[in-house]
């Protein structure tokens, strides 16, 4: 099914139809492979709707969490203009299905949360609203992990997805949100004893980018503080904290857009690091 060719979806769909004609019932794994072969999220949702219709008719097939996660991931990979409303509808629909049936096959899991947060965070058109929705889902994911409802805690990618979205948005309090989220990663890592949650160069760079876009009069001081922390952690042996070209550019932009008289000199010092 997953050949990567433009016609792979049509070929896979035809194969399933022929098998159905022979009385061979498709399994959830077959539908999942068919979804993965589709490039258009609306086609992926059509497959999910087909399974949902079969479930509503005779419960012969279940639209389980994996199928919902794949559908949400398809919207995350696309630039569909209604992706936020789509993925939130899908998430809430599955959540309601689990609450009404108690069937563990419908229980939201870490992959579903991660895919939903990723999809919302990648949406550029809804800015503040989308970022706050993603943050609320992150809150809930942490709570569900703490209460034992899901087995895997939010990983670094879940946090940095939101951080990256904040860094690209021009929000009045974006730098505050970014700082809070980075501190939260550090605190959460200690709380659950998981170093994989600790912020890396991507997280710190996103914070510096958010600071560069802010109008805070102290943004250069804060940027220097966070950059110094990066350098310290890298010097201590954390290879994930090595500043890269994007990091240096973000720090330079903090100075360039600060309006300070010594901005040029300070930016030059960064170039000499």
């Amino acid at each position: 099914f997953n050949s990567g060719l433009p016609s792979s979806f049509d070929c896979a769909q035809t194969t399933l139809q022929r098998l159905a004609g022979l009385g061979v019932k498709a399994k959830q794994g077959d539908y999942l492979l068919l979804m993965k072969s589709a490039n258009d999220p609306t086609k992926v949702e059509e497959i999910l709707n087909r399974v949902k219709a079969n479930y509503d008719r005779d419960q012969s097939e279940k639209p389980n969490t994996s199928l919902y996660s794949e559908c949400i991931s398809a919207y995350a990979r696309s630039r569909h203009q209604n992706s936020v409303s789509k993925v939130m509808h899908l998430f809430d629909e599955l959540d309601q299905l689990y609450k009404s049936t108690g069937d563990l096959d419908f229980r939201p899991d870490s992959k579903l949360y991660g895919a939903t947060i990723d999809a919302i965070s990648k949406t550029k058109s809804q800015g503040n609203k989308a970022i706050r929705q993603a943050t609320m889902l992150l809150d809930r994911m942490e709570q569900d992990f703490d209460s034992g409802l899901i087995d895997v805690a939010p990983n670094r990618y879940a946090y940095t997805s939101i951080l990256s979205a904040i860094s690209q948005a021009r929000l009045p309090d974006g730098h505050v949100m970014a700082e809070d989220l980075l501190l939260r990663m550090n605190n959460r890592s200690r709380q659950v004893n998981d170093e994989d949650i600790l912020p890396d160069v991507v997280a710190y760079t996103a914070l510096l980018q958010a600071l560069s876009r802010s109008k805070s009069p102290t943004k250069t001081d804060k940027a220097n503080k966070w950059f110094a922390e990066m350098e310290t952690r890298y010097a201590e042996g954390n290879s994930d904290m090595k500043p890269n070209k994007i990091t240096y550019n973000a720090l330079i932009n903090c100075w360039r857009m600060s309006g300070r008289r010594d901005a040029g000199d300070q930016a030059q010092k960064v170039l000499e690091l």
Side-chain angles (χ1 to χ4, degrees):
F1 284 164
N2 197 16
S3 67
L5 297 174
S7 60
S8 61
F9 173 78
D10 295 330
C11 291
Q13 193 169 35
T14 300
T15 301
L16 283 185
Q17 289 171 347
R18 288 176 178 173
L19 289 173
L22 295 172
V24 179
K25 182 180 175 182
K27 299 179 181 179
Q28 288 165 333
D30 298 325
Y31 286 115
L32 190 60
L33 287 173
L34 181 58
M35 288 172 135
K36 290 180 180 294
S37 70
N39 294 322
D40 185 347
T42 59
K43 288 185 176 181
V44 177
E45 191 171 5
E46 285 176 9
I47 300 164
L48 177 63
N49 288 336
R50 186 191 312 172
V51 180
K52 284 159 56 179
N54 291 341
Y55 178 77
D56 290 339
R57 185 180 62 251
D58 57 17
Q59 297 192 351
S60 59
E61 298 165 356
K62 286 183 180 180
N64 65 5
T65 305
S66 295
L67 298 184
Y68 272 88
S69 293
E70 184 58 37
C71 189
I72 288 172
S73 294
Y75 277 107
R77 294 189 295 269
S78 76
R79 295 186 177 181
H80 197 283
Q81 62 179 3
N82 295 322
S83 60
V84 172
S85 59
K86 279 285 186 182
V87 299
M88 285 307 304
H89 171 75
L90 290 167
F91 183 94
D92 291 339
E93 184 177 82
L94 180 65
D95 188 42
Q96 185 57 44
L97 190 57
Y98 171 60
K99 288 177 179 176
S100 63
T101 64
D103 191 328
L104 294 179
D105 286 338
F106 301 138
R107 188 172 72 177
D109 60 10
S110 300
K111 184 177 180 180
L112 181 81
Y113 273 107
T116 308
I117 290 170
D118 185 40
I120 296 173
S121 298
K122 286 180 177 177
T123 301
K124 300 182 184 299
S125 60
Q126 297 193 36
N128 193 8
K129 179 181 178 182
I131 290 170
R132 295 191 188 282
Q133 281 184 307
T135 304
M136 287 173 62
L137 270 181
L138 183 66
D139 294 341
R140 180 173 166 185
M141 187 178 182
E142 287 182 346
Q143 292 166 7
D144 281 0
F145 174 76
D146 292 343
S147 61
L149 292 176
I150 58 175
D151 298 328
V152 180
N155 58 17
R156 181 185 296 159
Y157 184 74
Y159 294 92
T160 53
S161 292
I162 302 176
L163 264 171
S164 295
I166 293 171
S167 74
Q168 299 302 316
R170 298 186 180 277
L171 305 176
D173 61 342
H175 67 289
V176 177
M177 295 171 65
E179 284 187 300
D180 287 347
L181 196 53
L182 192 137
L183 289 170
R184 177 173 173 176
M185 292 175 74
N186 282 317
N187 294 335
R188 186 70 180 171
S189 174
R190 289 192 293 269
Q191 181 183 348
V192 299
N193 194 28
D194 185 357
E195 291 189 356
D196 288 338
I197 301 175
L198 284 172
D200 58 2
V201 62
V202 177
Y204 276 84
T205 300
L207 171 55
L208 292 177
Q209 289 172 326
L211 280 166
S212 72
R213 289 182 167 86
S214 80
K215 295 182 180 180
S216 170
T218 61
K219 70 179 184 179
T220 52
D221 294 332
K222 290 182 177 181
N224 283 342
K225 167 185 171 291
W226 291 115
F227 184 79
E229 185 172 300
M230 283 185 68
E231 288 189 308
T232 299
R233 291 193 174 184
Y234 177 62
E236 291 173 347
N238 187 341
S239 59
D240 291 335
M241 296 297 294
K242 183 179 181 180
N244 55 34
K245 182 179 179 180
I246 301 173
T247 311
Y248 287 112
N249 284 339
L251 184 57
I252 289 170
N253 284 335
C254 280
W255 283 104
R256 185 174 63 84
M257 294 187 283
S258 68
R260 288 177 49 163
R261 291 182 179 180
D262 60 341
D265 292 338
Q266 294 296 334
Q268 183 62 37
K269 289 181 181 180
V270 175
L271 289 172
E272 295 170 355
L273 291 175

